[in-house]
């Protein structure tokens, strides 16, 4: 070949050409690999975190996860698992030592406890650090209370109490909820039959100054509370990783001030609920429960209900750039089945059991997952109701009132959209 090239210039060209083409191709491939590697898509801003998993839509009850979501074995290097492991041993009736005052600090659940020892805590994201520093603390005083919401001596206990997680600055959301789906008082179901008593209450922490300075809205909040008397505020920083505290502290409040209510709706202040339809559903559950209680002559039987949009086998978010990042050094394993996405409904009797079992589960930064963990501890599977739409209706259906006919909850709607939708749904056309 070489000899032939020397002989003729044209032949030389023909011989070099494939070589040049190959090298160009090589350069092209290398450049495109380099570009792909160095390109990072702009970070997505997720307002509400929903850990991805399998949405359950085959049966009403979520199946248990494929693997145990927390191991009985000790997971090396995962802080939460280690703490929970110690707590589990402490409450294990077979292993339990019959000693008092001999608890290691990791078994301690109070503000007085020391911060758990972890070597590389400083390399963790700020949010996780803040969480770890206060994760033993679950008692915070009430700044604003509503001791009489359910009447003196609980004589006016509502059928449904709507506990909405809100923040000091979200006045507009609260007002829209008060004017629409969260009206307190007697509310008629969609079936037009009996009215039932509903009470709405907003769960707030202290304004979060970690994200920068903010105007002081304290006086405004006091005025709002004087007018509506529907605000509970606790003295902790209202950060995303502190939302679990609202569930715990609300259960505590419920037990003290409204134990005779029957159902709780717990949701965010940016969802839309068809309260009438929800009441119909709950009333049906209550009737069935009472029927069963009579037919089995079991007066002690309690109603255990927990429904929402259930997500199975979800994995923690391992993307360090996101706000909801859970490092592997903090938690290992899959999440238990949990109901995510803006709202769930459960019975007060189950809430009391959740409150009890929560004393044996370490706080977890993501509130929905924490509820799943507590349910799992009770051996209870959250139920799925197809009316809870975490991911909203298809885009083209959102403006069509008829599309909401079987919906109980949609996520997410801003205050103006709530008012518009509420008005539209008041006169749902007959042909729907
Ligand atoms: C669940 O529903 C989605 C759409 O809503 C569907 O794509 C998926 O196949 C369903 N899954 C099962 C297991 O039926
Ligand atoms: C544990 O100790 C207390 C007194 O210290 C005793 O009364 C109780 O019976 C013990 N329980 C068991 C299970 O040994
Ligand atoms: C939760 O609130 C407590 C008390 O205000 C605070 O010390 C802690 O930093 C907060 N946690 C987060 C993750 O911000
Ligand atoms: C139901 O139970 C009570 C005691 O728990 C008993 O006195 C009563 O006879 C029972 N009624 C029926 C219909 O079995």
């Amino acid at each position: 070949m070489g000899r032939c090239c020397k002989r003729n210039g044209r032949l030389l060209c023909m011989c070099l050409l494939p070589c040049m083409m190959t090298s160009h191709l090589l350069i092209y491939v290398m450049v495109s690999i380099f570009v792909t590697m160095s390109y990072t898509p702009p970070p997505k801003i997720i307002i509400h975190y929903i850990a991805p998993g399998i949405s359950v839509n085959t049966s009403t009850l979520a199946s248990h996860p494929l693997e145990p979501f927390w191991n009985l074995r000790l997971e090396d290097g995962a802080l939460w698992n280690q703490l929970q492991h110690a707590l589990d041993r402490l409450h294990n009736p077979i292993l339990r030592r019959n000693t008092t005052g001999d608890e290691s600090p990791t078994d301690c659940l109070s503000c007085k406890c020391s911060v758990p020892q972890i070597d590389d805590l400083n390399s963790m994201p700020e949010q996780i650090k803040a969480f770890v520093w206060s994760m033993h603390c679950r008692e915070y005083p009430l700044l604003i209370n509503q001791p009489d919401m359910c009447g003196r001596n609980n004589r006016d206990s509502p059928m449904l109490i709507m506990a909405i997680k809100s923040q000091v600055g979200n006045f507009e959301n609260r007002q829209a909820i008060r004017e629409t789906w969260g009206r307190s008082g007697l509310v008629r179901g969609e079936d037009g039959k009996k009215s039932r008593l509903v009470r709405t209450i907003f769960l707030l922490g202290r304004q979060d100054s970690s994200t920068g300075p903010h105007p002081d809205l304290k006086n405004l909040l006091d005025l709002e509370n004087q007018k509506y008397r529907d605000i509970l505020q606790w003295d902790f920083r209202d950060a995303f990783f502190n939302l679990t505290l609202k569930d715990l502290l609300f259960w505590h409040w419920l037990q003290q001030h409204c134990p005779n209510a029957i159902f709780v709706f717990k949701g965010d202040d940016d969802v839309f609920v068809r309260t009438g339809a929800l009441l119909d559903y709950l009333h049906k559950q209550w009737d069935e429960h009472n029927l069963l209680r009579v037919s089995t002559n079991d007066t002690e039987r309690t109603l255990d209900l927990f429904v929402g949009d259930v997500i199975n086998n979800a994995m923690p978010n391992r993307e360090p750039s996101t706000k909801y990042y859970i490092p592997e050094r903090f938690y290992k394993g899959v999440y238990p089945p949990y109901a995510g996405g803006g709202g769930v409904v459960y019975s007060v009797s189950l809430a009391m059991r959740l409150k009890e079992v929560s004393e044996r589960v370490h706080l977890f930064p993501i509130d929905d997952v924490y509820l799943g963990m507590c349910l799992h501890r009770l051996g209870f599977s959250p139920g799925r109701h197809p009316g809870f739409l975490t991911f909203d209706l298809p885009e083209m259906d959102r403006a069509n009132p008829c599309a909401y006919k079987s919906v109980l909850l949609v996520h997410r709607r801003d205050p103006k959209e709530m008012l518009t939708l509420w008005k539209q749904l008041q006169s749902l056309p007959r042909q729907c």
Side-chain angles (χ1 to χ4, degrees):
M1 187 69 148
R3 245 194 304 145
C4 118
C5 284
K6 259 182 237 155
R7 233 187 284 155
N8 193 316
R10 258 175 78 186
L11 259 178
L12 184 77
C13 259
M14 280 174 71
C15 170
L16 270 181
L17 210 59
C19 294
M20 279 165 66
M21 281 168 72
T22 322
S23 61
H24 281 164
L25 186 70
L26 213 73
I27 290 168
Y28 171 76
V29 167
M30 274 163 67
V31 166
S32 41
I33 287 176
F34 179 73
V35 167
T36 327
M37 272 168 57
S38 61
Y39 175 74
T40 44
K44 251 195 226 155
I45 298 165
I46 310 166
I47 313 278
H48 275 268
Y49 173 64
I50 296 147
I54 306 160
S55 196
V56 191
N57 47 3
T58 44
S59 63
T60 49
L61 286 185
S63 58
H64 277 267
L66 302 176
E67 308 165 42
F69 78 90
W70 68 57
N71 276 331
L72 291 178
R73 278 181 293 112
L74 186 59
E75 284 282 5
D76 282 335
L79 177 70
W80 191 90
N81 302 62
Q82 280 180 2
L83 291 173
Q84 189 58 40
H85 184 82
L87 197 61
D88 287 345
R89 287 182 76 96
L90 187 73
H91 291 293
N92 186 320
I94 297 166
L95 299 178
R96 187 173 49 196
R97 296 160 300 163
N98 192 9
T99 50
T100 49
D102 186 29
E103 288 173 8
S104 64
T106 49
D107 303 324
C108 175
L109 292 179
S110 138
C111 299
K112 296 181 202 86
C113 313
S114 53
V115 175
Q117 292 300 312
I118 172 168
D119 298 336
D120 48 0
L121 185 61
N122 278 331
S123 65
M124 295 250 201
E126 283 304 319
Q127 270 215 122
I128 288 281
K129 268 196 270 181
F131 177 82
V132 171
W133 279 326
S134 62
M135 73 181 286
H136 285 82
C137 197
R138 36 174 91 195
E139 297 132 22
Y140 291 96
L142 270 166
L143 299 173
I144 301 178
N145 191 7
Q146 306 302 334
D148 295 330
M149 170 151 274
C150 297
R152 299 216 170 219
N153 309 320
N154 299 310
R155 281 177 53 223
D156 304 316
S157 289
M159 160 112 175
L160 174 64
I161 185 153
M162 301 186 102
I164 315 298
K165 290 184 177 175
S166 185
Q167 290 174 17
V168 174
N170 290 5
F171 170 74
E172 216 182 328
N173 292 57
R174 291 194 288 280
Q175 193 57 22
I177 291 170
R178 288 184 187 110
E179 289 176 14
T180 58
W181 56 266
R183 249 176 236 184
S184 271
L186 284 171
V187 176
R188 196 178 283 279
E190 305 235 317
D191 59 6
K193 285 188 214 142
K194 256 178 83 184
S195 299
R196 294 107 184 181
L197 193 58
V198 175
R199 292 273 178 242
T200 297
I201 198 157
F202 296 97
L203 316 179
L204 274 59
R206 245 189 310 103
Q207 268 181 304
D208 179 11
S209 48
S210 62
T211 47
H214 54 76
D216 184 357
L217 301 178
K218 185 177 178 308
N219 291 346
L220 198 62
L221 189 69
D222 286 342
L223 267 180
E224 184 188 348
N225 184 50
Q226 267 171 34
K227 184 155 170 60
Y228 296 106
R229 300 253 162 246
D230 59 359
I231 286 170
L232 288 181
Q233 190 190 23
W234 288 276
D235 189 14
F236 65 82
R237 189 211 269 178
D238 210 338
F240 177 75
F241 275 9
N242 261 347
L243 285 181
T244 310
L245 287 171
K246 292 189 183 178
D247 291 278
L248 293 182
L249 293 165
F250 171 68
W251 293 335
H252 189 78
W253 178 90
L254 191 65
Q255 188 178 43
Q256 280 198 309
H257 298 292
C258 204
N260 295 331
I262 302 170
F263 296 105
V264 173
F265 167 82
K266 184 212 74 166
D268 297 339
D269 65 0
D270 61 352
V271 300
F272 185 89
V273 182
R274 284 182 63 229
T275 314
L278 181 63
L279 281 173
D280 291 342
Y281 168 75
L282 293 177
H283 205 252
K284 196 160 154 266
Q285 301 297 314
W286 184 235
D287 278 350
E288 278 171 14
H289 165 73
N290 283 326
L291 220 61
L292 205 63
R293 207 162 72 151
V294 169
S295 67
T296 56
N297 193 18
D298 179 2
T299 49
E300 298 294 304
R301 178 186 279 272
T302 56
L303 174 56
D304 289 336
L305 178 91
F306 191 105
V307 289
D309 186 2
V310 176
I311 298 165
N312 259 357
N313 292 312
M315 288 300 292
N317 186 328
R318 301 293 195 205
E319 187 50 60
S321 60
T322 63
K323 200 176 145 196
Y324 310 107
Y325 170 53
I326 299 288
E328 243 177 286
R329 275 167 301 141
F330 182 78
Y331 179 84
K332 273 187 191 165
V334 290
Y335 287 152
Y338 74 95
V344 292
V345 58
Y346 49 81
S347 58
V348 171
S349 55
L350 187 64
M352 295 302 107
R353 292 175 61 201
L354 283 169
K355 176 184 176 290
E356 225 168 273
V357 82
S358 72
E359 283 158 24
R360 297 179 175 201
V361 184
H362 272 286
L363 287 185
F364 195 77
I366 295 170
D367 54 344
D368 294 341
V369 172
Y370 184 76
L371 251 60
M373 289 173 166
C374 290
L375 285 172
H376 189 90
R377 277 280 138 139
L378 289 175
F380 190 88
S381 292
R384 181 180 181 270
H385 192 297
F388 287 76
L389 299 186
T390 303
F391 301 103
D392 211 335
L393 287 163
E395 187 95 45
M396 57 189 182
D397 289 341
R398 284 179 201 167
N400 172 18
C402 281
Y404 291 86
K405 200 167 183 297
S406 57
V407 166
L408 293 185
L409 172 145
V410 270
H411 182 231
R412 49 188 306 234
R413 294 291 180 272
D414 69 27
K416 290 197 185 91
E417 288 168 336
M418 281 184 207
L419 293 170
T420 313
L421 189 54
W422 181 252
K423 216 162 172 188
Q424 284 174 341
L425 296 188
Q426 287 311 296
S427 47
L428 213 56
R430 286 214 166 270
Q431 69 270 19
C432 285

XYZ file of all heavy atoms in Angstrom, residues 6 14 16 73 81 84 94 96 118-119 144 188 190 193 199 220 265 274 289 293 305 327-328 330 359 399 422:
250
model
N 3.419 6.278 -2.851
C 4.556 7.082 -3.300
C 4.498 7.296 -4.814
O 4.890 8.320 -5.313
C 5.855 6.345 -2.931
C 6.494 6.942 -1.672
C 7.788 6.221 -1.361
C 7.685 5.667 0.053
N 8.572 4.514 0.229
N -6.270 9.472 -2.046
C -7.321 8.497 -1.774
C -7.028 7.692 -0.521
O -7.914 7.222 0.166
C -7.466 7.540 -2.966
C -8.262 8.151 -4.083
S -8.241 7.084 -5.502
C -9.280 5.759 -4.934
N -5.077 8.894 2.059
C -5.134 9.740 3.270
C -6.561 10.084 3.664
O -6.882 10.287 4.834
C -4.349 11.037 3.036
C -2.873 10.995 3.418
C -2.229 12.338 3.151
C -2.705 10.604 4.884
N -31.080 -5.306 61.173
C -29.625 -5.219 61.254
C -29.251 -3.757 61.410
O -29.944 -2.868 60.929
C -29.005 -5.731 59.956
C -28.894 -7.224 59.883
C -28.251 -7.630 58.562
N -29.103 -7.324 57.411
C -28.819 -6.423 56.515
N -27.740 -5.687 56.607
N -29.631 -6.231 55.493
N -31.040 5.455 60.974
C -31.214 4.018 61.205
C -30.584 3.595 62.523
O -31.138 2.776 63.247
C -30.581 3.217 60.066
C -31.152 3.583 58.719
O -31.032 4.728 58.280
N -31.790 2.641 58.060
N -32.722 4.830 65.405
C -33.957 4.063 65.481
C -33.685 2.648 65.993
O -34.467 2.092 66.760
C -34.639 4.024 64.112
C -36.034 3.428 64.121
C -36.977 4.179 65.055
O -36.965 5.389 65.142
N -37.804 3.445 65.783
N -38.608 -8.247 74.588
C -37.765 -9.385 74.946
C -36.393 -8.914 75.418
O -35.855 -9.397 76.404
C -37.615 -10.346 73.741
C -38.989 -10.904 73.385
C -36.646 -11.478 74.068
C -39.048 -11.589 72.057
N -35.658 -5.855 76.451
C -35.673 -4.678 77.310
C -35.009 -4.926 78.655
O -35.322 -5.878 79.372
C -37.112 -4.213 77.525
C -37.190 -2.912 78.272
C -38.603 -2.425 78.292
N -39.538 -3.471 78.700
C -40.844 -3.393 78.515
N -41.352 -2.377 77.898
N -41.628 -4.360 78.932
N -22.090 12.326 65.482
C -21.859 11.899 64.097
C -20.604 12.590 63.611
O -20.442 13.796 63.764
C -23.085 12.181 63.212
C -22.771 11.928 61.741
C -23.639 13.554 63.424
C -23.989 11.913 60.864
N -19.714 11.784 63.038
C -18.379 12.294 62.729
C -18.396 13.395 61.684
O -17.813 14.446 61.852
C -17.490 11.142 62.232
C -17.341 10.097 63.324
O -17.515 10.477 64.486
O -17.082 8.922 63.003
N -49.985 30.550 70.033
C -51.409 30.869 69.861
C -52.179 29.556 69.973
O -51.887 28.599 69.262
C -51.676 31.516 68.482
C -50.856 32.805 68.330
C -53.156 31.800 68.308
C -51.019 33.480 66.982
N -72.996 21.195 54.268
C -73.873 20.204 53.667
C -73.074 19.321 52.707
O -72.214 19.817 51.977
C -74.974 20.940 52.900
C -76.172 20.093 52.545
C -77.205 20.948 51.836
N -77.958 21.797 52.756
C -78.996 21.387 53.488
N -79.405 20.136 53.411
N -79.632 22.211 54.277
N -72.617 16.752 49.405
C -73.102 16.932 48.038
C -74.398 16.181 47.807
O -75.156 16.504 46.907
C -72.057 16.439 47.044
C -70.722 17.108 47.249
C -70.187 17.761 46.010
O -70.289 17.136 44.954
O -69.679 18.884 46.112
N -78.091 15.782 51.803
C -78.745 15.326 53.025
C -78.240 16.137 54.214
O -78.030 17.321 54.104
C -78.494 13.827 53.216
C -79.331 12.971 52.260
C -79.209 11.496 52.617
C -79.265 10.620 51.369
N -78.353 9.493 51.459
N -64.708 21.990 61.353
C -63.878 23.061 61.910
C -62.546 23.079 61.191
O -61.935 22.024 60.988
C -63.616 22.838 63.401
C -64.831 22.979 64.267
C -65.029 24.436 64.673
N -66.226 24.579 65.477
C -67.282 25.304 65.132
N -67.301 25.953 63.988
N -68.319 25.391 65.929
N -50.066 41.524 62.511
C -51.081 41.134 61.535
C -51.670 39.768 61.895
O -52.882 39.546 61.829
C -50.423 41.083 60.153
C -51.377 41.127 58.970
C -52.163 42.422 58.967
C -50.602 40.986 57.670
N -58.884 15.923 58.424
C -58.243 16.113 57.135
C -56.981 16.898 57.421
O -57.051 17.961 58.037
C -59.135 16.886 56.155
C -58.377 17.350 54.941
C -58.154 16.491 53.888
C -57.851 18.646 54.871
C -57.418 16.906 52.780
C -57.111 19.052 53.774
C -56.897 18.190 52.723
N -62.856 19.167 47.730
C -64.322 19.197 47.583
C -64.890 18.671 48.891
O -65.165 17.489 49.070
C -64.759 18.353 46.388
C -64.479 19.076 45.067
C -64.942 18.300 43.881
N -66.386 18.122 43.905
C -66.987 16.950 43.728
N -66.288 15.865 43.537
N -68.301 16.882 43.753
N -69.022 1.646 59.731
C -68.327 1.292 60.968
C -69.340 1.009 62.083
O -69.228 0.014 62.800
C -67.392 2.426 61.366
C -66.908 2.343 62.781
N -65.983 1.412 63.192
C -67.234 3.056 63.889
C -65.757 1.560 64.482
N -66.499 2.551 64.935
N -70.142 -2.372 64.132
C -69.997 -2.386 65.583
C -71.218 -3.022 66.255
O -71.090 -3.787 67.201
C -69.821 -0.943 66.080
C -69.065 -0.855 67.352
C -68.555 0.530 67.564
N -69.633 1.440 67.911
C -69.465 2.524 68.659
N -68.276 2.822 69.106
N -70.473 3.305 68.937
N -59.092 4.528 59.873
C -59.153 4.952 58.478
C -57.973 5.863 58.198
O -57.654 6.750 58.993
C -60.466 5.723 58.238
C -60.641 6.265 56.829
C -61.363 5.257 55.960
C -61.409 7.576 56.827
N -29.136 12.440 52.541
C -27.886 11.726 52.294
C -27.962 10.298 52.821
O -28.691 10.017 53.782
C -26.838 12.508 53.108
C -27.512 13.724 53.600
C -28.980 13.519 53.524
N -27.194 9.429 52.195
C -27.179 8.039 52.632
C -26.599 7.897 54.040
O -26.893 6.945 54.741
C -26.374 7.190 51.644
C -27.252 6.142 50.987
C -26.506 5.336 49.965
O -26.219 5.866 48.874
O -26.197 4.181 50.267
N -27.438 9.688 56.302
C -28.525 9.991 57.229
C -29.576 8.879 57.266
O -30.046 8.489 58.332
C -29.193 11.318 56.867
C -30.297 11.687 57.824
C -29.982 12.211 59.067
C -31.623 11.447 57.515
C -30.975 12.509 59.980
C -32.622 11.745 58.430
C -32.294 12.268 59.664
N -43.983 8.123 69.605
C -42.999 8.258 70.670
C -41.887 7.220 70.539
O -40.880 7.288 71.243
C -43.690 8.130 72.035
C -44.424 9.411 72.391
C -45.530 9.216 73.409
O -45.460 8.243 74.178
O -46.464 10.032 73.408
N -59.864 23.153 33.394
C -60.839 24.238 33.355
C -62.268 23.704 33.256
O -63.228 24.473 33.299
C -60.524 25.157 32.185
N -64.199 27.150 43.192
C -65.274 26.993 44.164
C -66.590 27.457 43.557
O -67.617 26.787 43.666
C -64.948 27.808 45.414
C -65.975 27.700 46.493
C -66.864 28.668 46.878
C -66.234 26.566 47.335
N -67.644 28.216 47.907
C -67.277 26.922 48.205
C -65.679 25.284 47.421
C -67.774 26.054 49.171
C -66.185 24.423 48.388
C -67.218 24.802 49.244
